Amino acid sequence: MKKKVTRVPRNSMEKGAVGATGAAALNLRQRRRYCYFCKENIDYIDYKNVGVLRKFVSDKGKIRPKRSTGNCVQHQKMIADAIKRAREIALMPYFKR
């Protein structure tokens, strides 16, 4: 005779398992970030404005992702293009040591 195989839940949220990822984790959720440029009604992101662009570059010189800056898709693309232009003209470094 064959044994019945019982299925084990893959993650802790399945089958009502309670743990650190349960109801307590829902209270730790961060608030949603909003696009700075939509909020300020800025249409064009100038590549010469290095002070604004530095907010969207990490300490190593990488362009920060949309999920960490809170920008919308359109403005994130404009920021990336502006940072790349500023790097090309040597207004911003490609990387920091």
Side-chain angles (χ1 to χ4, degrees):
M1 292 180 98
K2 287 186 175 182
K3 288 184 179 179
K4 287 188 175 182
V5 178
T6 58
R7 188 174 159 268
V8 178
R10 290 185 185 177
N11 59 16
S12 61
M13 294 300 291
E14 201 170 305
K15 293 283 184 179
V18 178
T21 59
L26 296 176
N27 294 335
L28 299 176
R29 183 180 282 172
Q30 290 182 347
R31 64 182 177 90
R32 179 156 162 38
R33 297 175 186 221
Y34 293 101
C35 180
Y36 169 77
F37 299 100
C38 289
K39 195 166 61 172
E40 299 292 326
N41 292 327
I42 298 173
D43 295 332
Y44 178 72
I45 300 171
D46 192 13
Y47 67 91
K48 293 174 278 189
N49 195 352
V50 180
V52 172
L53 295 178
R54 286 216 173 131
K55 293 181 193 175
F56 303 103
V57 177
S58 70
D59 57 346
K60 291 185 178 181
K62 295 182 178 181
I63 299 172
R64 292 192 182 194
K66 182 172 80 82
R67 66 178 178 269
S68 68
T69 59
N71 292 323
C72 63
V73 176
Q74 295 84 8
H75 287 117
Q76 183 68 22
K77 287 180 184 179
M78 291 170 71
I79 288 169
D81 289 339
I83 290 172
K84 290 172 187 175
R85 282 184 186 164
R87 285 175 175 170
E88 188 75 23
I89 304 172
L91 295 175
M92 292 181 72
Y94 278 97
F95 61 90
K96 296 178 185 173
R97 294 182 185 193

